[in-house]
Amino acid sequence: MAGIMSPRRGGESDKFGNRYEGAWTVRHLLHVLGGSGESLTVEDSGEMARSVEFTYRRTGAVEVHQVKRQNGVANGWTVRSLLGLGIWDDARHHVGAGREFHLVSTVPARVAQELCDNARSARDVRSFVDHWLPNQNLQEAFSDLASMDVLGADERAWRVLRGTWIECHGEQDVAEFNGLLAGQLLDGAAGALAAVGLGDLVLHHLGRELTAPLIEDRLRKYGLRRTSIRRKETVEPRTWRVVPVADCPPEQVGVHPAAASGAYHHAQPSYGLREHDNLLRAQVRRAAVAGGMVVVAGGSSTGKSRSLFEAVRSELADWRILLPDDADAVRSASAQISAQTVVWLDDTPAVRFLGPNGLTASDLAALLEGEQSAPLVIVYLVWPDAYQRMTAVPQPTKGATDDPARGTREALSLAVQPPIRVPDDFTQLERRNLTSVAKMSGDRRLHDALSDPRYGVAQHLAGVPDLMDLWRDGAAVQPYGAALITAAVDLRALRIQEPLTAELLIAAAPLYLTSRQYAEAPATWFDDGLAYATRPLRGTVRALEPVPGSEIGTIAGYDVADYLQQHGAIGRDYTTVPVGLWNVLAAHVSDLDDLARLGRRAHQLGCAERARPLLTRVFDHSEDARWRLVSMLVNEKRYDVLREHAAVGCAEAHYALAEYAVEENRFGDVLEHWRAAETTGLQWWDLAEQLLEHEQEVLLRRLYELADPAGQFFYLRLLGYQGQEAKLGDLADAGDQEAQFELAWLLGSLGRVDEALDKFEALFNSEDSELVDEAVRAWGSLLAAHGREAELRDWAAEDADDGLPMLFLASLLAEQERLDELRDLAAGGGVTVVWQYTALLRRLNREQELRDLVQRGCREASEDLAKLLLSAGREGDLRAMAAAGDRSARESLVELWGSLGREHELRDLVVTGDGHAQNELMKLLARLGRQEELRRSAAAGDIWASSYLPGRNYSMEFSDLA
């Protein structure tokens, strides 16, 4: 097409139209204002400004920052794609001049970042080449960088890497951190608004060095001023302590005391190296170079704390360890933490540090980037199931609320590398190593642990056999002690975090007794049972551990041994907690967060009557509680009660009444109840979509005029569906870019492709457009949909390292089934092309080609091969792939069993803990109409079962991080 042009990249005029680049700049302006930086210069002069957004000066260093928001639709940067953008040449220029070169993006550059980190870890280039390029990806990438046409030599490449920092920060995280920091440093506006004002301040001072005094002087223009920080007059009790690594007893960092044995009563057994230890110690060393976080995930009593402690003691022997009690303790200690300190965060058994209301990515970054002269290392321990909940990205669900784990995932993303996984038991190699250690030390405890047929080595050393025997034998020996332990296990499984008080246990334990035990209980039943449950066993482990009170000699309550919390409760997964326990909880639990979790849990398990009193108590405290109570009222058709709640300002009740009005075709009543700005979540978007389906143009136009985001979006979408070109054109002419976007789609659907392309092009070339990325994608999609191959190839040639044109070119080739050309395109390795290639192979039933790709390690091919076999019902082939460890085949096999009604096979997998099989089983029961079984499973703790029970649930939050 004549005059067609590719989407523009970069350019000075759009700097703060690009929200990510502007927010990253504002972050460092705030650092200057807060005193951790000396000055910031945006659009610096001369050679300082080469290819960077700003210069940031701090004590002892000058940083230059280049920001690349994303790599098209690719999920990361490769060393070669950065080379194509001239990044390495820019890095050489700045590092050679003694500056630190920082590349920042929303998507990672894992190989490049690892090269840079490893280069800083190596003492010289020879050590780097010999010891810090452990895999082929790193070796090939370094060879590319050191070649004559790039950096020219190994030595030069190593030095450039040492001076280059590659950082990945989510766009939302940057914005939230800015708002938080601005709120702490500035008065006069909410933090987020203050941060926007600072962005404007930067734009009006391009090329000028901004120091803290100059920034403060300019704040008045924006109605802002520095916060006056007042010190608290009262002295709060210290909830943290610092000890030298060399003097820290292992028990202080959560290492279980080893089971006692003769002369070794007070000593930990000698340590035998495990297979994960070398990798763990390498991560600790890497973090120690410039500061960083190391994550270790493992079950209770698997040796994870001992492994981490030995790694710290080996690599950081002359450092100190900060031992905080909770997240607030970390914050209070942060100003007093000195250099070369290990911050020890242990989220086992309960999540205290990175759960809801815990430490954020901003908190951790502030620690790592603090004013201490040398780096800090943060170490984090967590159980695998908690880590999985923390890192799981929820699938988009109709009616879903905001992602509750996003902040935790962002905090975990600061880790130097993926978590070190500590397995439940020792491998054969580790057993051989420990056998040698046992022979050399003569420690009988190690010999006993190695020969234990029931439990793993670490579990035996931690006294787990005695702990489990105490619980199991208690039913016959001391039933009141066993009842206390079982009640405590169930209470912790329900996510209660506060100490289990004596009053709570006295009320709960009788529910776990037989009628005879209840009737014949002696007056001293609780004291006798408690003495049994708190009896110290070998290694000082106890089933119930006393929690100290606020004064010496007092007990606030009791905690459950962590092994019982994690593993002891497994046998009770499908055992319904006593009905009376919910009433006990409602009467005895006072912590509002605990009550909210309990109410959510009861509602998730389908126990509406048990959930109601709990949720009612936290109605004003928890939006999730309000959504759940509203759901119950809707299911009971109690619209009279909903109107009462709405009358006193409950926005969630207004939503239910608005939805009811839509269901009853009373559209005139909807606007009366519209309160979208007063809640979070996507429910109002669902309701606006229903208005679209009913073609309620007048009502959507009114929402559009009220600037409601959901109403605006679906009003324009309705105009597009109805082909109302004139109305869209009027709105676009009035400056509504969303209307112009919808108009372009309409023109494309009408076959007026050139006009549509021009509209999209105008959007992505606009200096103030917030729809640049969306317009680029729509432009490319339209070219592909209408076979405009020449334009796509021109675009790809212009932006050879951008994955976006390749995505749409591959889409065109796949649609036209041009397999050979798509195969050649996929040979370049771009994931956006590969998945379209493998999907086309599946559609064309090219099984052998898919198998060949699977053999070469292509994950996309594995997924498509499994789908092909699933569609053909080839169970035997799926079994063979699953047996070889193919996850896609295993999931497809489970889906096949579900579709065929193979209940027994699904149940066999469910007992192994397979969540996919559990979901398929509950889906099968729902399809067969076996509602009573679903209710029983839900009441026993199966969240999947509760999701298939009939009824409205506006609050779709299924993840409990704590």
Side-chain angles (χ1 to χ4, degrees):
M1 165 180 120
I4 196 79
M5 61 180 293
S6 297
R8 173 182 49 76
R9 302 294 187 204
E12 290 182 4
S13 59
D14 77 335
K15 267 195 196 307
F16 282 78
N18 183 325
R19 292 165 294 180
Y20 184 65
E21 182 178 333
W24 187 249
T25 306
V26 168
R27 167 177 286 197
H28 288 76
L29 188 77
L30 287 164
H31 286 329
V32 173
L33 195 58
S36 57
E38 296 176 351
S39 70
L40 177 85
T41 307
V42 181
E43 304 292 357
D44 212 333
S45 59
E47 56 91 23
M48 291 282 289
R50 174 171 164 172
S51 301
V52 298
E53 276 62 59
F54 61 81
T55 304
Y56 174 66
R57 291 172 172 83
R58 55 182 174 80
T59 303
V62 176
E63 301 177 9
V64 292
H65 288 242
Q66 184 173 150
V67 181
K68 296 291 182 185
R69 182 174 179 273
Q70 60 188 33
N71 183 14
V73 295
N75 58 2
W77 298 95
T78 65
V79 170
R80 290 182 180 177
S81 64
L82 295 175
L83 175 63
L85 293 175
I87 298 297
W88 298 113
D89 193 43
D90 295 334
R92 175 174 58 181
H93 168 78
H94 288 288
V95 173
R99 296 184 283 271
E100 293 181 4
F101 180 78
H102 291 248
L103 175 67
V104 185
S105 180
T106 61
V107 295
R110 292 188 175 87
V111 172
Q113 183 176 2
E114 191 169 357
L115 280 174
C116 295
D117 292 342
N118 288 2
R120 282 186 286 274
S121 299
R123 64 180 182 273
D124 54 41
V125 67
R126 183 48 48 205
S127 172
F128 176 68
V129 172
D130 291 345
H131 303 295
W132 291 93
L133 300 174
N135 58 57
Q136 185 176 355
N137 287 338
L138 292 176
Q139 292 164 7
E140 291 179 351
F142 184 68
S143 295
D144 287 345
L145 289 176
S147 62
M148 291 303 298
D149 56 342
V150 185
L151 297 178
D154 286 0
E155 176 79 21
R156 183 179 300 138
W158 173 68
R159 293 191 179 281
V160 170
L161 289 170
R162 284 174 63 85
T164 301
W165 275 258
I166 297 179
E167 304 175 52
C168 175
H169 297 274
E171 187 163 7
Q172 187 67 25
D173 173 56
V174 175
E176 287 184 357
F177 178 87
N178 288 355
L180 177 65
L181 191 54
Q184 294 174 342
L185 295 174
L186 300 171
D187 286 334
L193 292 176
V196 171
L198 292 178
D200 189 69
L201 186 155
V202 169
L203 277 177
H204 286 85
H205 292 81
L206 297 180
R208 183 166 183 179
E209 186 173 8
L210 293 170
T211 60
L214 179 59
I215 297 169
E216 288 189 45
D217 181 64
R218 299 297 191 270
L219 288 176
R220 289 191 297 273
K221 176 183 176 183
Y222 302 93
L224 302 172
R225 62 185 180 278
R226 279 296 305 269
T227 300
S228 299
I229 301 176
R230 299 177 179 85
R231 294 189 179 275
K232 292 185 179 179
E233 308 230 342
T234 59
V235 178
E236 297 182 356
R238 178 172 291 188
T239 55
W240 52 271
R241 59 202 180 282
V242 176
V243 296
V245 169
D247 298 335
C248 182
E251 292 78 15
Q252 288 285 304
V253 292
V255 178
H256 289 292
S261 178
Y264 300 98
H265 185 79
H266 295 293
Q268 285 285 343
S270 300
Y271 187 69
L273 281 173
R274 302 181 64 179
E275 292 184 17
H276 59 265
D277 281 331
N278 286 334
L279 185 57
L280 173 57
R281 294 179 185 200
Q283 283 202 22
V284 171
R285 287 195 300 271
R286 183 166 303 150
V289 173
M293 178 167 144
V294 175
V295 177
V296 179
S300 171
S301 304
T302 57
K304 63 185 180 303
S305 298
R306 182 74 188 273
S307 284
L308 183 56
F309 179 66
E310 295 294 341
V312 168
R313 193 155 61 174
S314 168
E315 305 300 327
L316 309 174
D318 55 345
W319 286 38
R320 305 191 306 163
I321 297 181
L322 171 74
L323 300 172
D325 290 344
D326 51 33
D328 286 338
V330 177
R331 296 187 184 102
S332 66
S334 60
Q336 301 177 53
I337 297 176
S338 61
Q340 294 190 323
T341 298
V342 178
V343 181
W344 192 283
L345 307 181
D346 188 347
D347 264 346
T348 65
V351 175
R352 297 171 293 160
F353 294 103
L354 296 192
N357 304 317
L359 298 170
T360 66
S362 302
D363 292 328
L364 297 181
L367 272 178
L368 296 172
E369 300 170 2
E371 298 182 3
Q372 65 276 352
S373 58
L376 296 178
V377 171
I378 299 171
V379 298
Y380 181 67
L381 294 113
V382 63
W383 281 353
D385 56 344
Y387 184 80
Q388 184 177 2
R389 289 195 299 270
M390 290 173 170
T391 55
V393 179
Q395 297 300 311
T397 305
K398 188 177 180 65
T401 58
D402 287 343
D403 174 8
R406 180 177 57 79
T408 306
R409 288 199 307 278
E410 290 170 350
L412 288 169
S413 70
L414 296 176
V416 294
Q417 282 188 319
I420 300 295
R421 305 276 183 173
V422 178
D424 287 348
D425 200 0
F426 282 41
T427 66
Q428 290 300 316
L429 175 60
E430 291 169 350
R431 284 177 170 270
R432 288 197 296 271
N433 290 341
L434 195 61
T435 299
S436 299
V437 172
K439 288 179 180 178
M440 292 177 61
S441 65
D443 193 330
R444 186 66 213 171
R445 293 172 299 178
L446 296 180
H447 289 287
D448 292 344
L450 287 164
S451 59
D452 189 331
R454 295 186 300 165
Y455 298 98
V457 173
Q459 288 90 341
H460 181 97
L461 291 171
V464 166
D466 291 346
L467 180 66
M468 296 302 292
D469 288 344
L470 181 85
W471 187 21
R472 291 165 180 158
D473 295 345
V477 177
Q478 175 45 262
Y480 306 104
L484 285 170
I485 296 171
T486 307
V489 167
D490 278 358
L491 290 168
R492 280 290 184 245
L494 290 172
R495 304 287 190 262
I496 294 181
Q497 290 190 337
E498 63 184 22
L500 306 177
T501 63
E503 293 78 8
L504 176 59
L505 291 173
I506 288 171
L511 301 171
Y512 295 84
L513 298 172
T514 66
S515 297
R516 183 172 180 175
Q517 290 165 349
Y518 186 91
E520 297 178 352
T524 59
W525 75 267
F526 178 71
D527 292 336
D528 295 344
L530 189 62
Y532 180 84
T534 57
R535 177 195 305 170
L537 305 174
R538 291 195 308 152
T540 72
V541 67
R542 307 177 195 222
L544 297 186
E545 184 73 32
V547 177
S550 57
E551 297 180 7
I552 189 170
T554 62
I555 295 176
Y558 298 87
D559 206 349
V560 184
D562 54 5
Y563 189 87
L564 287 181
Q565 286 193 47
Q566 185 178 27
H567 294 282
I570 291 176
R572 299 185 54 75
D573 275 350
Y574 290 93
T575 301
T576 307
V577 299
V579 172
L581 188 62
W582 296 106
N583 298 328
V584 169
L585 293 168
H588 288 85
V589 175
S590 58
D591 183 87
L592 292 179
D593 290 329
D594 272 349
L595 284 168
R597 277 189 290 272
L598 287 166
R600 179 166 66 243
R601 186 72 172 175
H603 186 241
Q604 288 171 347
L605 300 182
C607 305
E609 289 308 310
R610 311 303 169 199
R612 190 188 305 275
L614 296 164
L615 295 172
T616 300
R617 286 185 59 187
V618 292
F619 188 85
D620 294 329
H621 174 70
S622 165
E623 182 182 5
D624 179 76
R626 291 193 292 277
W627 280 121
R628 291 182 187 278
L629 280 169
V630 164
S631 300
M632 294 178 195
L633 292 170
V634 169
N635 292 329
E636 296 164 6
K637 301 187 182 304
R638 296 297 308 275
Y639 292 103
D640 54 335
V641 180
L642 284 169
R643 291 188 183 93
E644 293 175 5
H645 284 303
V648 294
C650 177
E652 294 80 8
H654 276 294
Y655 173 84
L657 293 171
E659 186 180 55
Y660 182 52
V662 171
E663 291 174 355
E664 297 292 307
N665 293 322
R666 293 184 286 103
F667 297 104
D669 297 340
V670 172
L671 202 59
E672 172 192 351
H673 294 294
W674 202 271
R675 300 289 190 281
E678 298 174 25
T679 67
T680 59
L682 302 176
Q683 290 89 348
W684 296 96
W685 283 78
D686 292 337
L687 195 54
E689 187 173 10
Q690 293 179 45
L691 297 177
L692 167 72
E693 293 166 356
H694 285 87
E695 297 194 31
Q696 289 296 306
E697 181 181 347
V698 173
L699 182 51
L700 284 172
R701 184 177 68 247
R702 181 62 183 137
L703 292 173
Y704 176 93
E705 292 166 350
L706 292 172
D708 178 82
Q712 289 176 321
F713 179 84
F714 286 109
Y715 175 60
L716 298 175
R717 181 63 56 88
L718 178 61
L719 295 181
Y721 285 165
Q722 295 177 340
Q724 298 199 48
E725 180 182 345
K727 288 185 178 179
L728 284 172
D730 290 343
L731 293 173
D733 291 342
D736 188 327
Q737 295 180 344
E738 295 278 1
Q740 182 172 333
F741 189 91
E742 194 63 46
L743 176 60
W745 270 122
L746 174 60
L747 294 173
S749 68
L750 296 174
R752 293 156 61 183
V753 180
D754 288 348
E755 294 178 71
L757 290 172
D758 287 343
K759 296 289 185 187
F760 285 131
E761 187 178 318
L763 282 173
F764 63 64
N765 280 318
S766 172
E767 293 183 358
D768 61 351
S769 175
E770 295 186 355
L771 296 172
V772 173
D773 293 335
E774 293 87 342
V776 169
R777 286 169 174 75
W779 183 80
S781 179
L782 195 59
L783 289 176
H786 289 273
R788 305 286 280 264
E789 184 177 346
E791 287 94 333
L792 285 173
R793 290 193 179 277
D794 288 344
W795 182 16
E798 281 185 43
D799 298 293
D801 293 305
D802 188 347
L804 203 55
M806 286 298 184
L807 167 69
F808 294 113
L809 179 58
S811 175
L812 183 152
L813 296 177
E815 179 65 27
Q816 297 177 359
E817 296 187 356
R818 292 158 60 181
L819 183 60
D820 292 339
E821 294 171 77
L822 189 55
R823 182 186 297 110
D824 293 340
L825 205 62
V831 65
T832 57
V833 178
V834 172
W835 67 259
Q836 295 189 78
Y837 169 52
T838 59
L840 180 57
L841 289 175
R842 172 171 53 84
R843 293 205 306 273
L844 298 178
N845 203 31
R846 304 289 280 267
E847 179 181 340
Q848 189 54 52
E849 291 183 61
L850 284 171
R851 288 189 180 277
D852 292 342
L853 288 171
V854 170
Q855 289 295 319
R856 297 202 292 269
C858 178
R859 185 183 65 186
E860 293 80 10
S862 177
E863 294 173 1
D864 278 300
L865 177 58
K867 290 177 183 176
L868 188 154
L869 298 175
L870 172 62
S871 63
R874 289 165 56 183
E875 181 179 352
D877 290 326
L878 283 173
R879 281 183 182 272
M881 284 181 66
D886 191 296
R887 180 176 178 179
S888 297
R890 181 184 176 91
E891 292 180 352
S892 293
L893 182 62
V894 167
E895 290 180 32
L896 178 61
W897 287 343
S899 66
L900 297 176
R902 302 272 284 279
E903 183 176 340
H904 291 301
E905 283 92 338
L906 292 175
R907 288 190 183 277
D908 288 343
L909 273 183
V910 167
V911 298
T912 69
D914 189 307
H916 196 64
Q918 193 173 0
N919 180 33
E920 284 295 328
L921 175 61
M922 296 304 112
K923 187 190 301 183
L924 173 61
L925 295 180
R927 193 169 72 242
L928 297 176
R930 290 157 62 177
Q931 296 295 318
E932 188 56 38
E933 291 178 71
L934 283 172
R935 289 189 184 92
R936 285 200 303 270
S937 294
D942 192 325
I943 298 298
W944 288 114
S946 64
S947 70
Y948 287 107
L949 286 171
R952 201 73 59 89
N953 180 10
Y954 296 122
S955 184
M956 300 297 290
E957 183 181 335
F958 283 96
S959 173
D960 285 324
L961 293 181

